[in-house]
Amino acid sequence: MSYGPDLRDVFRRAATHVDKILKGARPGDIPVEQSTKFEMIINLKTAKALGLTIPPSLLLRADQVIE
């Protein structure tokens, strides 16, 4: 199972920062932003190989389930 920031959103934010810098903004003047979108991915194949049972309620909350 993995829970972390949505990487597409992170790269999109990074591109916005690069755009600001290329347009003349000083890097020190650009505020640091924290991720607001997170995703949870569950690998059922690995869970079964380890003998783990994932509750259905957790599977319903996952953004992606790898079977």
Side-chain angles (χ1 to χ4, degrees), residues 2 7-8 12 23 30 35 43 58 60 62 64 67:
S2 169
L7 292 179
R8 290 173 291 214
R12 190 176 304 116
K23 289 182 178 175
I30 300 173
S35 292
N43 189 329
L58 193 59
L60 290 173
Q64 182 181 359
E67 296 185 41

Side-chain angles (χ1 to χ4, degrees), residues 17-18 27 31 33 41 49 51:
H17 280 31
V18 170
E33 296 181 14
I41 301 170

Side-chain angles (χ1 to χ4, degrees), residues 2-14 33-41 63-64:
S2 169
Y3 181 74
D6 182 0
L7 292 179
R8 290 173 291 214
D9 186 52
V10 170
F11 292 134
R12 190 176 304 116
R13 289 175 183 261
E33 296 181 14
Q34 186 174 5
S35 292
T36 56
K37 292 177 74 176
F38 292 85
E39 64 182 357
M40 179 169 49
I41 301 170
D63 295 301
Q64 182 181 359

Side-chain angles (χ1 to χ4, degrees), residues 18-64:
V18 170
D19 181 56
K20 289 177 184 178
I21 293 168
L22 292 176
K23 289 182 178 175
R26 291 179 16 173
D29 294 339
I30 300 173
V32 175
E33 296 181 14
Q34 186 174 5
S35 292
T36 56
K37 292 177 74 176
F38 292 85
E39 64 182 357
M40 179 169 49
I41 301 170
I42 299 175
N43 189 329
L44 282 179
K45 183 177 179 182
T46 301
K48 287 178 184 177
L50 294 172
L52 302 174
T53 303
I54 307 296
S57 60
L58 193 59
L59 292 173
L60 290 173
R61 291 180 166 223
D63 295 301
Q64 182 181 359

